[in-house]
Amino acid sequence: MPFSILPGPRIRVRAAAAAFTVFAVLASALPAEAGEAGPPVVEQPSPSATAAPEATVPPGPVPTPSPSAPEAPAAASPSATAAPSPVSEDPGAFSVSSATPAPTPAETAPAPAPTETAPSPSAPSASKPDEPAYITAGRKAIAAKATALKLVAAGNLKCALPQQGCARTYTSRSSSKTMRIYWTAATGAHAVHRSHAVGRKYGAADTVYGKLGYPTSEMKTGIKANGAIQSFQKGQIAYSPASGAQTLTGQVLAEWTKRGGRNGTLGYPLQYAKSRDGKTTQVFQGGSLIARKSGAAYYPKNECWALGAGKTRYQHGYASRVSFAIAEKYGTHKADFINCRRIGSVYVQAWETPTATVGLKGFKKPGVPSGHTANRWSPQGSYSVTEAFGEGNPGTGLGYRTLNPRSRWSGTPGSSYNKYYDAASPFFERWPDENLWNIMRGGDYRQAVVINYNRGPGQKIRQGQGFAIFLHAKPVPTFGCIALDLKNVTKYLKTAQKGDLVIMGVRKDIFKA
């Protein structure tokens, strides 16, 4: 039968008979109150008794009574009743079943208070998990830089970057400008102003994943022409309001720096470096640089530079050669002729002659037809060249026709207008058609290049708008053509290729400011 301590005042008794050895052993397992003289007497409950609520039992080994042990008697001597304990009464404080005996006093003794309380498995750890040393270093360096720049974090730290780098986005406390601080052990922590033209250019260059790598300096502002510049592992970004933000790398950067950078003759870059036909080139305010095996070649600012710099009103289309016939004003037949050759993506001057001539009355306005040759106007615009003629091929890349006594060029409206044809007879004459043979014998057409004005590939010939516009020998005022001395026309032919361009007109209408 199970033992139970009934609710009510606790009765302390001393064991009455040595015969109840087993009972005494079992009773000694019950907790002893402070000041008690012995184990409590345990009464057997009556069938109608109600069990007291159970208390939480401290964990520990559970002793199991021996099956052969005799049960203790239910009664005790009245003379053995002890005085009430000074400990306040707590009815129903314990309830121990036979399967779970009461703990011994040793088991109930309070354990020393632990110095730390171990967290439960579900509780988060107060300390950060172990992280690689480079992340810790990056975190600290970026935070220090942000503090120095008085920035407020606007994103999480990101460290899954190349070269074991880290980055974090911030905003300025004084404005809405956004910055991103990048860090590696090799470069340190540096901010990129994402709202600035330099920062936008860096973003367009794929930031740390692109050709520039990580920043190695802060952006420097307040420099020449209200510019800014920032250095990176593999280059720089230079900015001015006039040039925009441009990247510089490799040999071009080295040569630019050698020549004084933004403060030198070259000034700020106008474009990013371009590679074409195996050549890397870059255009600056004061000229062009073309990378070589060592350093870069410098070409000064001039009309040919303007082609690569995008400073002309006509597209060059990456033609092998582009030539200019430039009058300084309207109403004059005098002009400069400049031949430019392309290297990569830029143009450099091959040669020039200041003694060229055009139509006697000078140039028409851009887009205005020159009309009949008798009016002696030259058209203004950009035109291709594809064919040539004269007394004999000097070795040109253009289609070449050697003239004969029947060679003519039509100025008569109709299907043959502004085209070459062979007359039925050497004596055939029709005005305003040109007798090419006779003009050649006079010196003008000993060598000539057909300028594709109002004709040429993809162009529709418009009746009456003008014909027979050539580049030819004998520099005198013309009927609309461009004229050079014979040696320069021959020089032109020897390097000309189909698709080369001739841009002709008044300077202010050819070039942008």
Side-chain angles (χ1 to χ4, degrees):
M1 179 176 296
F3 292 103
S4 176
I5 298 179
L6 298 177
R10 294 177 181 169
I11 303 173
R12 305 179 181 277
V13 295
R14 190 177 301 273
F20 296 104
T21 303
V22 175
F23 171 76
V25 171
L26 294 175
S28 65
L30 296 175
E33 297 288 345
E36 69 180 332
V41 176
V42 181
E43 299 180 357
Q44 296 188 14
S46 66
S48 61
T50 303
E54 294 187 356
T56 302
V57 180
V62 181
T64 304
S66 172
S68 60
E71 294 183 358
S77 170
S79 61
T81 304
S85 171
V87 179
S88 62
E89 296 175 348
D90 186 9
F94 296 98
S95 177
V96 184
S97 69
S98 61
T100 309
T104 64
E107 292 172 328
T108 59
T115 56
E116 291 184 3
T117 302
S120 66
S122 61
S125 173
S127 61
K128 294 182 181 179
D130 291 340
E131 64 182 11
Y134 85 90
I135 295 181
T136 302
R139 186 193 308 279
K140 292 179 179 179
I142 289 175
K145 177 63 70 173
T147 300
L149 297 177
K150 298 181 180 179
L151 303 177
V152 178
N156 295 325
L157 181 73
K158 182 179 179 181
C159 287
L161 301 179
Q163 304 177 44
Q164 293 191 337
C166 297
R168 192 172 189 181
T169 301
Y170 292 84
T171 57
S172 172
R173 293 180 181 177
S174 59
S175 69
S176 60
K177 294 180 179 179
T178 303
M179 301 184 190
R180 191 163 175 82
I181 299 177
Y182 294 89
W183 172 91
T184 69
T187 61
H190 300 285
V192 172
H193 297 236
R194 300 174 79 180
S195 334
H196 193 277
V198 169
R200 293 195 296 271
K201 176 63 72 171
Y202 183 57
D206 291 335
T207 65
V208 298
Y209 300 97
K211 62 183 179 181
L212 290 172
Y214 286 85
T216 57
S217 74
E218 300 304 310
M219 182 175 72
K220 185 176 182 180
T221 59
I223 57 178
K224 179 182 177 182
N226 295 318
I229 195 166
Q230 187 163 13
S231 296
F232 299 83
Q233 286 177 309
K234 301 175 184 178
Q236 290 184 352
I237 297 177
Y239 162 82
S240 78
S243 63
Q246 308 296 342
T247 58
L248 297 117
T249 59
Q251 295 153 283
V252 170
L253 171 59
E255 188 67 25
W256 181 67
T257 303
K258 178 181 176 182
R259 290 178 174 272
R262 63 189 179 276
N263 297 314
T265 304
L266 285 163
Y268 285 95
L270 294 176
Q271 303 170 352
Y272 59 89
K274 299 178 181 179
S275 294
R276 190 180 184 90
D277 300 338
K279 299 290 185 180
T280 298
T281 62
Q282 191 157 6
V283 179
F284 296 81
Q285 291 173 318
S288 302
L289 290 178
I290 301 174
R292 299 181 298 191
K293 291 182 178 179
S294 176
Y298 165 70
Y299 292 89
K301 178 179 180 178
N302 54 28
E303 292 81 2
C304 298
W305 161 90
L307 290 164
K311 298 295 185 179
T312 64
R313 301 184 188 279
Y314 302 99
Q315 299 296 317
H316 56 71
Y318 293 105
S320 176
R321 298 230 174 191
V322 177
S323 297
F324 292 103
I326 306 168
E328 296 301 325
K329 61 182 180 179
Y330 282 98
T332 180
H333 65 272
K334 296 179 179 180
D336 288 338
F337 189 87
I338 303 168
N339 183 261
C340 309
R341 64 187 179 95
R342 182 174 61 82
I343 303 177
S345 296
V346 301
Y347 286 83
V348 300
Q349 184 172 302
W351 53 273
E352 175 187 13
T353 176
T355 59
T357 59
V358 294
L360 178 64
K361 294 181 180 179
F363 286 106
K364 282 283 192 176
K365 291 284 187 178
V368 178
S370 60
H372 201 289
T373 56
N375 297 325
R376 306 193 76 170
W377 290 101
S378 290
Q380 184 166 192
S382 176
Y383 311 104
S384 66
V385 295
T386 52
E387 59 186 276
F389 58 82
E391 60 187 6
N393 191 341
T396 184
L398 303 177
Y400 192 87
R401 178 180 284 109
T402 300
L403 298 179
N404 65 76
R406 295 184 296 121
S407 296
R408 304 291 187 270
W409 196 274
S410 175
T412 301
S415 60
S416 63
Y417 182 73
N418 201 20
K419 295 179 181 178
Y420 173 90
Y421 71 95
D422 283 315
S425 165
F427 305 106
F428 176 82
E429 297 289 344
R430 183 178 67 185
W431 189 88
D433 295 3
E434 290 191 359
N435 186 325
L436 302 181
W437 175 259
N438 285 344
I439 299 173
M440 181 193 73
R441 295 173 68 188
D444 298 57
Y445 291 171
R446 290 182 63 187
Q447 295 293 351
V449 179
V450 178
I451 296 174
N452 286 325
Y453 165 72
N454 195 28
R455 70 182 312 277
Q459 300 297 314
K460 181 180 180 180
I461 296 176
R462 299 184 182 277
Q463 303 292 319
Q465 291 197 0
F467 66 96
I469 303 299
F470 308 135
L471 168 65
H472 61 73
K474 200 173 180 180
V476 295
T478 70
F479 287 84
C481 298
I482 301 169
L484 312 176
D485 57 60
L486 179 60
K487 71 174 184 179
N488 281 322
V489 178
T490 304
K491 181 190 295 186
Y492 178 92
L493 281 167
K494 287 182 176 180
T495 59
Q497 301 289 328
K498 290 182 179 180
D500 286 356
L501 298 177
V502 173
I503 297 175
M504 51 195 293
V506 176
R507 181 176 293 276
K508 71 182 184 66
D509 289 328
I510 293 176
F511 300 100
K512 299 177 183 178

